[in-house]
Amino acid sequence: MIILLVIFLWLYIDFTLGRKSHMKKLERTTLPMRKSDMDMFTDGPALFKDLFSELRNAQKHIHILFYIVKDDKISEEFLSILKGKAKEGVEVRLLLDWAGSFPVKSKTIKELKSSGIKFSFAHVPKPPFLFYSFQARNHRKITVIDGTIGFSGGFNIGKEYINQDKKLTPWRDYHLKFQGEGVHDLQREFLADWYKATKTDLLANCIYFPELRAGKYRHQFSAYKGAYLEENFSSLIRKAKQSITIGTPYFIPSKRLFKDLSHALERGITVRLLIPCVTDHILVKEASYLYLRKLLKQGAYVYQYLNGFYHAKAIMIDNEIADVGTANFDKRSLFLNYEINCFIYDKDFIQKVQTIVDTDIRNSKRLTLKELNRLDPFRTFKEMLARTVASFL
């Protein structure tokens, strides 16, 4: 018992001091409003067909950041394309989160480097705050090709993302493709993360920032480093006049955001939540029930996606603002992970996102308060356990 108390105390002190140290060093940045041509993918095979085609057509440089790359066939194909481009003389930089891409073998990394790829892990745990640094992961997904084409969204690299996991098939996600001014911001955020991981500063190198034309759709990126996401989400919710729709695989809001949603319901705002029916992580579903019960009592609509696994991250406010990105509506994204989201202000593209979200709601079932309140001792036990670790799920 004493040993357990000592371990718990160490973890608490490590996390608390690590968080304070992180926040002291943090600088808030605001990215400009941009105009880009944009496409939205919801299906893994279609996304990777397009992404891999663009990678094969790269002429100068490829910069890629993923949270997860696995040791499977789709990952092998992805890495093989990168090795081939590097051997052709294209600059290739690959940055993977240390925890998320742990399955990538050291042998594979050696092969990548020997082919000419510049490789690094992001967010490798290090002292003095080992526990905190392990928890604060780089959850972004960024691809920039020749400084002119960009991708970002919810998909990673692995068999489940191309519908080859029996439990999670089909995989439903949202991923954006950009051509236009916004690609500069994706490039800038990748190179900032590359500098953090490798101490190689390429941000001032103009070859990575070619002149780009303005595209059709007005949007703005927001990049987060374990802070300020809660503030931005709160601002969105408080601006709502008619409706709020939130799509997320994990619904574990902070106290502030939960109050914002509750107050929105009190103001007569329609609040719709779209979440998965099946889950890909232990306890995340049970962690959401405490919040869902209270919101359902106030009149919120909660939909559980039935056609596979729902992993998309989106927020719609009054059909006037759409947010699509990498951040989940949970405490890990709010207070720990590096994330990047795209706020869209063009009504035509917002309507496109709305149509996709509405389709996903039609492929869902309404969750009722009666269902959540049904006697289930095992679920109750899991809910109690989930509450103790909700910040780290």
Side-chain angles (χ1 to χ4, degrees):
M1 195 67 181
I2 293 173
I3 293 172
L4 288 175
L5 287 172
V6 169
I7 292 172
F8 178 80
L9 183 61
W10 170 70
L11 293 176
Y12 175 79
I13 292 172
D14 180 294
F15 187 86
T16 302
L17 295 181
R19 179 68 179 172
K20 287 182 178 179
S21 175
H22 174 76
M23 292 303 293
K24 281 181 182 179
K25 299 172 185 176
L26 198 60
E27 294 182 6
R28 187 168 188 171
T29 58
T30 301
L31 296 172
M33 194 70 69
R34 300 291 197 182
K35 294 193 77 176
S36 300
D37 292 332
M38 296 162 55
D39 291 306
M40 186 160 160
F41 294 88
T42 59
D43 174 68
L47 168 66
F48 292 116
K49 180 180 179 181
D50 188 82
L51 173 62
F52 289 0
S53 175
E54 296 289 8
L55 290 174
R56 290 187 176 101
N57 291 331
Q59 299 296 314
K60 298 176 182 177
H61 33 82
I62 295 170
H63 293 158
I64 297 182
L65 163 60
F66 273 112
Y67 176 60
I68 293 173
V69 171
K70 295 194 169 182
D71 182 20
D72 56 19
K73 287 186 178 180
I74 183 69
S75 300
E76 287 176 10
E77 181 182 359
F78 166 68
L79 297 176
S80 177
I81 293 169
L82 297 186
K83 287 188 283 188
K85 297 308 294 186
K87 289 176 181 177
E88 289 175 16
V90 175
E91 287 185 37
V92 179
R93 291 180 177 85
L94 178 61
L95 184 61
L96 305 179
D97 181 79
W98 179 85
S101 295
F102 195 77
V104 177
K105 298 175 182 177
S106 57
K107 178 184 176 183
T108 301
I109 295 171
K110 288 179 182 177
E111 290 173 356
L112 293 173
K113 291 180 176 179
S114 65
S115 70
I117 293 174
K118 296 173 177 62
F119 174 89
S120 180
F121 279 119
H123 290 216
V124 178
K126 58 184 178 180
F129 308 115
L130 276 173
F131 180 64
Y132 180 80
S133 62
F134 174 73
Q135 295 301 323
R137 300 166 190 169
N138 196 321
H139 192 246
R140 296 173 180 173
K141 296 93 179 171
I142 296 173
T143 297
V144 182
I145 300 166
D146 291 336
T148 62
I149 298 171
F151 292 84
S152 186
F155 282 98
N156 288 288
I157 306 289
K159 67 177 184 180
E160 62 267 45
Y161 305 101
I162 55 169
N163 306 326
Q164 293 182 2
D165 183 293
K166 291 181 180 179
K167 179 186 175 183
L168 304 174
T169 292
W171 186 281
R172 187 67 166 179
D173 224 323
Y174 305 157
H175 213 92
L176 297 172
K177 179 181 181 180
F178 302 87
Q179 291 177 282
E181 298 174 336
V183 179
H184 276 174
D185 298 322
L186 288 176
Q187 185 79 291
R188 191 167 286 107
E189 291 306 315
F190 172 87
L191 292 177
D193 286 349
W194 184 258
Y195 174 72
K196 176 178 172 61
T198 68
K199 304 308 176 189
T200 303
D201 188 356
L202 302 172
L203 280 161
N205 195 329
C206 63
I207 68 168
Y208 303 121
F209 298 94
E211 186 176 343
L212 299 175
R213 61 173 178 80
K216 183 178 180 181
Y217 302 117
R218 193 164 64 97
H219 66 94
Q220 184 178 28
F221 286 107
S222 286
Y224 306 99
K225 299 178 180 179
Y228 307 124
L229 177 60
E230 180 191 43
E231 182 180 321
N232 282 14
F233 278 0
S234 178
S235 177
L236 283 179
I237 293 168
R238 293 182 182 189
K239 285 177 182 176
K241 298 180 180 66
Q242 295 179 330
S243 66
I244 300 166
T245 301
I246 298 170
T248 180
Y250 319 117
F251 184 74
I252 311 174
S254 64
K255 289 181 180 179
R256 176 177 177 176
L257 294 182
F258 181 71
K259 286 181 180 178
D260 287 338
L261 290 172
S262 179
H263 290 160
L265 287 163
E266 290 171 1
R267 291 189 285 121
I269 307 298
T270 299
V271 174
R272 302 189 303 171
L273 304 177
L274 176 57
I275 58 177
C277 187
V278 297
T279 182
D280 67 332
H281 289 303
I282 188 172
L283 297 179
V284 291
K285 197 172 184 178
E286 289 76 18
S288 71
Y289 289 157
L290 172 68
Y291 309 102
L292 294 179
R293 282 192 185 91
K294 294 179 180 179
L295 294 177
L296 283 167
K297 284 181 182 178
Q298 289 188 272
Y301 298 89
V302 179
Y303 299 93
Q304 291 184 307
Y305 187 72
L306 295 176
N307 189 27
F309 177 63
Y310 186 82
H311 188 254
K313 308 95 166 50
I315 299 177
M316 307 286 299
I317 305 293
D318 295 335
N319 293 325
E320 293 181 358
I321 302 173
D323 165 42
V324 178
T326 69
N328 300 306
F329 208 90
D330 67 359
K331 293 177 182 178
R332 173 170 286 282
S333 283
L334 292 170
F335 303 120
L336 285 170
N337 290 344
Y338 277 39
E339 307 281 3
I340 186 163
N341 281 25
C342 181
F343 294 86
I344 302 160
Y345 299 95
D346 183 276
K347 289 193 175 181
D348 288 342
F349 202 88
I350 290 170
Q351 185 56 53
K352 184 182 294 188
V353 179
Q354 185 69 67
T355 300
I356 290 169
V357 172
D358 287 344
T359 298
D360 291 341
I361 287 176
R362 285 195 296 272
N363 286 319
S364 305
K365 68 171 183 176
R366 282 271 304 272
L367 179 67
T368 65
L369 191 59
K370 181 180 179 180
E371 184 179 345
L372 273 184
N373 287 338
R374 188 177 296 128
L375 182 63
D376 187 337
F378 183 56
R379 184 182 67 188
T380 300
F381 170 74
K382 289 196 289 184
E383 284 187 51
M384 293 172 61
L385 183 60
R387 288 172 201 170
T388 66
V389 293
S391 295
F392 305 106
L393 292 174

